[in-house]
Amino acid sequence: QVQLRESGPGLVKPSQTLSLTCAVSGGSITAKYFPWSWIRQPPGKGLEWMGIITYDGSTYYSPSLKSRISISRDTSKNQFSLQLTSVTPEDTAVYYCARDRGAGWGYDHWGQGIPVTVSS
């Protein structure tokens, strides 16, 4: 079964870069045709889709984040990563990685989520 796990620092200072990694087991991030997503949920708010990386490495980002976000992958380690630059306290959230079912069908596998606080 596909399993995902987020890892990275849980506390980031304002203006720094938030960096997280999603390790995938039980399935390949290059398998056709599943995209791999980053989603976050700020306290008291709903889920916010951040971006995806496809099976062949193409990326697509939320317009509200596109100036600050980068998603990459390491196929040899079967993992993909998130970088969000110039963070502010508004970026405080639980961050999730997930596998997309495609065609608007939602997500079939999620990581547990990792809380990240942006604070000085």
Side-chain angles (χ1 to χ4, degrees):
Q1 185 72 292
V2 174
Q3 292 184 311
L4 301 86
R5 176 175 288 186
E6 304 90 348
S7 63
L11 180 64
V12 184
K13 293 184 180 298
S15 82
Q16 293 186 333
T17 297
L18 184 158
S19 297
L20 300 173
T21 296
C22 182
V24 178
S25 62
S28 173
I29 63 171
T30 64
K32 299 178 181 178
Y33 296 95
F34 293 103
W36 301 85
S37 301
W38 285 101
I39 305 120
R40 68 180 182 180
Q41 186 170 32
K45 304 291 185 180
L47 295 170
E48 178 188 10
W49 177 80
M50 302 181 70
I52 61 168
I53 187 162
T54 69
Y55 76 97
D56 63 352
S58 299
T59 55
Y60 302 89
Y61 304 128
S62 168
S64 66
L65 298 172
K66 64 180 180 181
S67 66
R68 300 193 292 132
I69 189 173
S70 179
I71 298 173
S72 58
R73 67 179 184 170
D74 186 339
T75 57
S76 69
K77 297 180 179 179
N78 205 41
Q79 63 187 32
F80 62 104
S81 299
L82 168 72
Q83 292 194 78
L84 188 68
T85 63
S86 303
V87 298
T88 74
E90 297 298 308
D91 294 309
T92 294
V94 177
Y95 285 75
Y96 299 92
C97 56
R99 190 176 78 168
D100 200 322
R101 297 174 66 191
W105 292 351
Y107 307 95
D108 59 357
H109 297 284
W110 294 72
Q112 291 189 52
I114 182 169
V116 179
T117 298
V118 179
S119 176
S120 60

